[in-house]
């Protein structure tokens, strides 16, 4: 009886303890989300960091799941003692996160939170506007209504709206940054950079002399038989319109309008004519210069409004002309009209021009052989013997330089790659003068620079007894390993080889007073020697 009583008492005690323990450990533990909540970061942009954090009783392990319409639940964290987890979501939508805290005996507590993943996408595509008033639109990819804040001054002040667009008015020309974000949210704003550009482009026109001669030096007369007209704009151009004019006799102030006939001739229109044609410069951001000529067509073709192509006809020597240009930027905004006068005038004809050019003693050479190149200067010494008046120039008839005899010349020759320089000789050029000559050759670049001086006789100095129009002769060897089909030597300019370390490649011609001799024509044509196989 005593033993049975003890057993019953033990069973009752165990049952009581079990009931107590059951009531204690089967009670759900408390778990709460800290972030995100409806009051804190309730909306996130796609692919931005999202930090989940929660609180719970000691000893719990946690499982974090994520679900949305048509998605999940997806387990992000399982049976972990962590109380924070970070991820990002690439798909906009309304998401529900659930955190479940579990005790060691299986008791569970849970909490859930709902938040948006959205992308505020600004729908404007333009980056530049040619107007002062701009409407900027955006949309939220979760397709839900929101209150937005936008700013045009880098976040210094924000304007609240429930609309998905903002109208910005009275904007000055310049660059702007527009930002828009969800109200009551810490998510970064969407950013949109744009420019207001209501001012049209301006264009600068310059006219340089003797482009065909390639001789630009202090003292040059501002015009020649050829001239280069170049231009530049302060904006990217969508179109460049051009017109030409011809002036009446000096002092009359009359400016006639010119059109190009279908046969390629100038048609002179009255000064007040409204029939003058605009011509389009093709590819206006690439073509920024043209050669105008008194002996043939210019170097750049133009188009009329119907797409017909025209060559720039020749201009008369001594007549004053002008080119006018109207730039239009890529937004279609018309800029300011610019005009530049020019005159084509010379003091010599084509037969007696003081030209400099390269010639050879043969037209072909075998590999392993050689040929002689000469720099010819016909009419140079005659031209440099005195002053010249520009008789066909109706503007000022002035030749700035005196040209009282040739005293010094310098020019550079570029040999074809792989060609070897074998020998350099200097024939006498100026009879009755002391002919001084030297050269510098750089085999790495193949550039031969020639220096020649001509001074009056001095005691015991050798004086030239004869004269020639050859400034220098040099022998070129074509090695057996030469890979080109042609060999050549050409006069070069600083514009081509200035980055090679040569600063004096432009041809220089000085008179007896060390002033530049004006009017020397460097012919740009580059003759070649055909290279054959070694025999």
């Amino acid at each position: 009886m005593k033993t049975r009583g003890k057993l019953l008492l033990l069973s009752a005690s165990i049952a009581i303890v079990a009931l107590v323990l059951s009531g204690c450990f089967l009670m759900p533990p408390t778990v709460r989300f800290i972030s995100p909540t409806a009051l804190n970061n309730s909306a996130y942009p796609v692919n931005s960091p999202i930090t989940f954090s929660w609180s719970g009783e000691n000893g719990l392990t946690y499982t974090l799941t994520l679900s949305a319409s048509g998605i999940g639940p997806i387990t992000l964290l399982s049976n972990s003692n962590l109380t924070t987890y970070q991820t990002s979501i690439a798909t906009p939508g309304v998401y529900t996160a659930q955190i479940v805290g579990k005790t060691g005996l299986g008791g569970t507590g849970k909490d859930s939170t709902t938040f948006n993943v959205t992308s505020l996408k600004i729908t404007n595509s333009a980056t530049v506007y040619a107007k002062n008033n701009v409407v900027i639109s955006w949309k939220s990819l979760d397709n839900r209504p929101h209150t937005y804040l936008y700013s045009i001054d880098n976040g210094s002040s924000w304007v609240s709206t429930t609309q998905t667009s903002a109208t910005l008015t009275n904007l000055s020309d310049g660059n702007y940054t527009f930002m828009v974000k969800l109200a009551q949210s810490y998510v970064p704003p969407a950013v949109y950079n744009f420019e207001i550009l209501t001012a049209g482009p301006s264009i600068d026109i310059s006219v340089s002399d003797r482009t065909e001669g390639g001789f630009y030096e202090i003292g040059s007369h501002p015009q020649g038989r050829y001239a280069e007209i170049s231009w530049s704009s302060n904006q990217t151009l969508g179109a460049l319109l051009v017109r030409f004019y011809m002036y009446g006799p000096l002092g009359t102030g009359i400016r006639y309008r010119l059109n190009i006939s279908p046969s390629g001739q100038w048609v002179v229109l009255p000064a007040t004519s409204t029939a003058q044609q605009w011509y389009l410069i093709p590819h206006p951001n690439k073509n920024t210069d043209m050669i105008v000529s008194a002996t043939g067509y210019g170097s750049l073709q133009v188009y009329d409004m119907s797409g017909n192509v025209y060559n720039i006809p020749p201009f008369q020597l001594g007549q004053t002309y002008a080119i006018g240009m109207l730039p239009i930027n890529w937004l279609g905004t018309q800029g300011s009209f610019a005009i530049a006068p020019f005159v084509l005038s010379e003091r010599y004809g084509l037969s007696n021009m003081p030209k400099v050019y390269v010639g050879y003693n043969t037209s072909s050479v075998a590999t392993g052989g050689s040929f002689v190149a000469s720099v010819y200067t016909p009419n140079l010494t005659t031209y440099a013997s005195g002053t010249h008046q520009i008789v066909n120039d109706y503007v000022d008839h002035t030749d700035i330089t005196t040209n009282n005899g040739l005293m010094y010349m310098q020019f550079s020759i570029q040999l074809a790659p792989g060609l070897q320089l074998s020998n350099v000789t200097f024939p006498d050029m100026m009879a009755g003068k002391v002919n001084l000559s030297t050269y510098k050759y750089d085999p790495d670049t193949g550039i031969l620079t020639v220096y020649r001086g001509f001074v009056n006789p001095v005691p015991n100095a050798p004086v030239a007894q004869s004269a020639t129009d050859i400034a220098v002769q040099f022998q070129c060897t074509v090695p057996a390993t030469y890979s080109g089909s042609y060999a050549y030597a050409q006069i070069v300019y600083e514009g081509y080889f200035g980055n090679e370390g040569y600063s004096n490649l432009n041809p220089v011609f000085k008179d007896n007073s060390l002033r530049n001799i004006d009017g020397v024509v460097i012919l740009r044509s580059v003759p070649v020697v055909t290279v054959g196989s070694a025999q």
Side-chain angles (χ1 to χ4, degrees):
M1 181 71 183
K2 290 182 179 179
T3 301
R4 184 180 180 186
K6 291 180 179 179
L7 290 174
L8 289 174
L9 180 60
L10 178 61
S11 297
S13 300
I14 292 173
I16 293 171
V17 171
L19 287 174
V20 172
L21 292 175
S22 172
C24 179
F25 286 97
L26 292 182
M27 182 178 296
T30 300
V31 178
R32 291 286 183 268
F33 264 112
I34 299 173
S35 176
T37 69
L39 299 178
N40 181 21
N41 291 336
S42 60
Y44 294 87
V46 294
N47 297 317
S48 67
I50 304 175
T51 300
F52 299 91
S53 60
W54 54 89
S55 63
E57 300 170 6
N58 292 334
L60 298 181
T61 58
Y62 301 99
T63 297
L64 176 66
T65 59
L66 185 68
S67 62
S69 177
I71 301 176
I74 301 172
T75 301
L76 303 180
L77 197 65
S78 178
N79 296 322
S80 172
N81 58 2
L82 297 176
T83 57
T84 183
Y85 182 83
Q86 188 179 80
T87 188
S88 62
I89 300 175
T91 303
V94 180
Y95 287 80
T96 298
Q98 184 181 71
I99 187 69
V100 176
K102 185 178 180 181
T103 67
L105 295 178
T108 59
K110 64 181 65 175
D111 191 21
S112 63
T113 185
T114 300
F115 60 92
N116 292 338
V117 173
T118 183
S119 178
L120 291 183
K121 181 180 180 181
I122 296 177
T123 58
N124 294 52
S125 59
T127 58
V128 185
Y129 296 91
K131 53 186 180 180
N132 299 112
N133 302 329
V134 176
V135 177
I136 299 178
S137 302
W138 61 89
K139 63 179 180 180
S140 177
L141 297 185
D142 63 2
N143 295 317
R144 297 180 62 188
H146 293 282
T147 298
Y148 303 98
L149 299 175
Y150 69 85
S151 172
I152 193 63
D153 52 5
N154 292 318
S156 297
S157 60
W158 296 89
V159 177
S160 177
T161 181
T162 57
Q163 304 299 313
T164 56
S165 65
T167 300
L168 309 177
T169 60
N170 299 320
L171 297 176
S172 302
D173 281 14
N175 295 293
Y176 293 87
T177 297
F178 179 87
M179 297 186 293
V180 61
K181 64 180 181 179
L182 293 169
Q184 297 181 346
S185 170
Y186 295 104
V187 298
V191 179
Y192 173 57
N193 296 304
F194 65 96
E195 180 183 2
I196 299 297
L197 184 62
T198 60
S202 62
I203 196 161
D204 295 321
I205 309 173
S206 62
V207 181
S208 61
D209 62 323
R210 306 187 190 288
T211 295
E212 186 65 20
F215 180 67
Y216 310 105
E217 279 292 344
I218 298 172
S220 294
H221 189 272
Q223 280 81 38
R225 181 175 282 107
Y226 306 88
E228 179 185 32
I229 301 175
S230 59
W231 52 88
S232 62
S233 178
N234 64 337
Q235 296 179 16
T236 302
L237 298 180
L240 179 57
L241 304 179
V242 62
R243 281 177 169 175
F244 289 93
Y245 303 86
M246 183 179 73
Y247 288 88
L250 190 63
T252 64
I254 300 175
R255 188 177 70 188
Y256 299 100
R257 299 171 182 264
L258 299 179
N259 278 348
I260 304 175
S261 71
S263 61
Q265 305 296 321
W266 287 119
V267 177
V268 181
L269 304 174
T272 57
S273 175
T274 59
Q276 187 178 22
Q277 174 74 55
W278 281 110
Y279 297 99
L280 283 166
I281 299 291
H283 310 294
N285 298 302
K286 178 180 179 181
N287 294 323
T288 57
D289 71 330
M290 69 170 69
I291 306 297
V292 294
S293 171
T295 60
Y297 290 119
S299 66
L300 185 65
Q301 293 179 319
V302 294
Y303 297 82
D304 65 14
M305 299 301 110
S306 299
N308 300 311
V309 62
Y310 296 87
N311 295 307
I312 305 298
F315 295 90
Q316 295 180 18
L317 286 173
Q319 176 66 57
T320 303
Y321 295 90
I323 184 172
M325 290 187 165
L326 182 65
I328 301 172
N329 68 16
W330 79 104
L331 297 170
T333 305
Q334 179 176 305
S336 54
F337 179 74
I339 192 168
F342 61 92
V343 180
L344 303 182
S345 55
E346 283 291 9
R347 359 147 146 59
Y348 48 76
L350 293 177
S351 62
N352 65 345
M353 70 166 65
K355 55 189 175 183
V356 178
Y357 62 92
V358 178
Y360 313 115
N361 68 332
T362 183
S363 60
S364 63
V365 63
T367 53
S370 63
F371 63 93
V372 176
S374 302
V375 177
Y376 294 96
T377 60
N379 306 315
L380 176 60
T381 55
T382 301
Y383 180 80
S385 63
T387 60
H388 304 273
Q389 184 184 36
I390 311 173
V391 296
N392 58 0
D393 180 357
Y394 299 156
V395 181
D396 56 20
H397 299 279
T398 301
D399 181 354
I400 299 175
T401 61
T402 305
N403 299 342
N404 58 340
L406 176 63
M407 189 189 76
Y408 176 77
M409 61 193 303
Q410 173 188 317
F411 52 86
S412 296
I413 303 293
Q414 171 74 61
L415 275 61
L419 203 60
Q420 296 176 353
L421 182 69
S422 301
N423 190 34
V424 180
T425 59
F426 297 96
D428 285 333
M429 280 187 62
M430 300 281 283
K433 295 273 190 175
V434 178
N435 283 229
L436 306 173
S437 305
T438 187
Y439 70 92
K440 179 179 68 176
Y441 179 64
D442 186 341
D444 293 332
T445 60
I447 294 181
L448 168 67
T449 302
V450 173
Y451 310 92
R452 296 213 63 173
F454 312 97
V455 297
N456 292 326
V458 295
N460 302 319
V463 177
Q465 302 300 314
S466 60
T468 180
D469 62 356
I470 298 177
V472 64
Q473 287 184 320
F474 47 96
Q475 187 174 21
C476 300
T477 298
V478 181
T481 56
Y482 192 81
S483 59
S485 301
Y486 302 97
Y488 62 85
Q490 69 179 94
I491 301 176
V492 294
Y493 301 89
E494 186 178 358
Y496 295 137
F497 296 95
N499 293 330
E500 302 283 348
Y502 292 85
S503 59
N504 294 310
L505 292 178
N506 285 341
V508 175
F509 303 90
K510 298 283 188 177
D511 66 14
N512 290 334
S513 300
L514 281 180
R515 290 173 296 194
N516 296 301
I517 296 178
D518 183 24
V520 181
V521 179
I522 310 298
L523 299 184
R524 289 209 237 182
S525 59
V526 182
V528 297
V529 175
T530 302
V531 177
S533 301
Q535 302 299 320

